[in-house]
Amino acid sequence: MGRSVPAHVGIIMDGNGRWARQRGLPRNEGHKAAERAIHDVVEACGEIGVGYLTLYAFSTENWNRPRAEVDFILSHLLAGFIKRNIDELDARGVRIRTIGRTTGLPSRGRKALLDAIERTRANSGLQLILALNYGGRAEIADAVRTIAQAVAAGRLEPGAVDEAVISGALYLPDVPDPDLIIRTSGEERLSNFLLWQSAYSELCFSSVLWPDYTREDLEKAISGYMGRERRFGGVDTGGGPA
Ligand code: FPP
């Protein structure tokens, strides 16, 4: 039985480095080329009626990369992406949000991000969630710390800690779990992306390198999702958790 359009799509944008290497270019050229794909996928999600799009732009593990590459992504590219796209995103009603330990971002990128979040706060279209300095285990650790503080302060009984309490302590508790997670470039791993939230997500792996990913690739992934059944460990709910 078919399903409706996914409310929340997550994408692990992988393969920028290989895209550049295939062309004999420095890795940062691959990250630069990623912008076209990001633009087209955001536009398509808005038009298709996806409610939330989470893009894995930088993981807590990505700090192990050369300093110049990290700075390029988190300052130059992030600020540049926002500068070049914010007017169009705002005009389309896109609301920008973020998950991750954003206090750890370099100040130029962080400022651009916070300004974009503030400017688009009241927009009611697609929510574009940028996962920056994000790790699923770090998010769960941060949630557990918040809950432990509430218990220590006497505001919460240990026996009251259940799945809903943990979900409620994650970075964006109002955002539904992703229905569909796409990873590009042929790798078939979650790599610490939305670990708690992906318990029942459909996974779609594409061999296309991220800078080459097109609107048609996204539409194919969404059609595949809409044609597939999902049972949530019990009876088929037809369209998501009852
Ligand atoms: C994966 O390719 C890509 C990254 C770790 C960085 C992703 C960053 C962007 C797509 C641009 C950031 C955009 C914004 C808006 C901040 P890889 O370098 O791991 O590729 P490889 O596996 O082929 O080496």
Side-chain angles (χ1 to χ4, degrees):
M1 190 167 75
R3 275 196 306 251
S4 46
V5 169
H8 182 177
V9 175
I11 305 185
I12 302 170
M13 308 180 289
D14 198 6
N16 298 345
R18 275 161 285 166
W19 184 93
R21 195 169 61 233
Q22 284 175 4
R23 287 161 179 74
L25 297 168
R27 291 178 57 79
N28 283 346
E29 290 301 316
H31 298 315
K32 258 197 236 173
E35 187 168 318
R36 197 270 322 145
I38 295 175
H39 174 276
D40 291 2
V41 161
V42 170
E43 184 177 69
C45 281
E47 289 172 11
I48 292 167
V50 170
Y52 306 83
L53 172 65
T54 300
L55 298 179
Y56 204 8
F58 198 85
S59 77
T60 45
E61 289 71 37
N62 287 151
W63 292 101
N64 299 328
R65 295 181 179 220
R67 175 72 196 271
E69 183 176 345
V70 171
D71 283 349
F72 183 80
I73 295 174
L74 292 182
S75 277
H76 187 77
L77 210 61
L78 177 59
F81 169 80
I82 290 171
K83 189 168 174 212
R84 287 185 290 274
N85 291 276
I86 189 66
D87 288 341
E88 182 185 342
L89 292 169
D90 196 18
R92 286 180 178 275
V94 174
R95 177 177 175 192
I96 296 172
R97 305 180 78 181
T98 189
I99 51 173
R101 293 177 171 169
T102 30
T103 47
L105 297 178
S107 58
R108 177 164 168 235
R110 181 162 183 270
K111 178 167 188 328
L113 179 68
L114 297 180
D115 287 349
I117 290 170
E118 195 47 45
R119 171 166 167 185
T120 61
R121 186 174 292 283
N123 287 351
S124 57
L126 173 72
Q127 297 202 15
L128 171 60
I129 301 162
L130 300 176
L132 286 158
N133 195 17
Y134 175 84
R137 288 184 175 180
E139 178 176 29
I140 294 169
D142 288 349
V144 169
R145 194 177 320 106
T146 304
I147 293 166
Q149 282 161 351
V151 170
R155 285 182 273 114
L156 187 67
E157 285 295 321
V161 177
D162 59 9
E163 293 182 17
V165 168
I166 295 173
S167 290
L170 298 176
Y171 294 138
L172 297 178
D174 62 300
V175 173
D177 290 344
D179 305 287
L180 171 65
I181 293 178
I182 298 167
R183 182 169 189 155
T184 61
S185 92
E187 306 292 340
E188 303 194 352
R189 294 185 299 279
L190 277 178
S191 297
N192 211 8
F193 183 55
L194 301 178
L195 287 187
W196 176 271
Q197 301 90 329
S198 62
Y200 291 102
S201 304
E202 293 277 353
L203 306 179
C204 172
F205 300 107
S206 164
S207 59
V208 175
L209 302 178
W210 177 252
D212 289 329
Y213 201 77
T214 62
R215 181 185 179 116
E216 287 67 39
D217 294 316
L218 176 77
E219 288 171 352
K220 212 161 40 175
I222 291 180
S223 307
Y225 162 86
M226 289 171 72
R228 253 187 257 168
E229 279 187 30
R230 184 171 58 167
R231 292 181 177 276
F232 291 102
V235 293
D236 181 17
T237 56

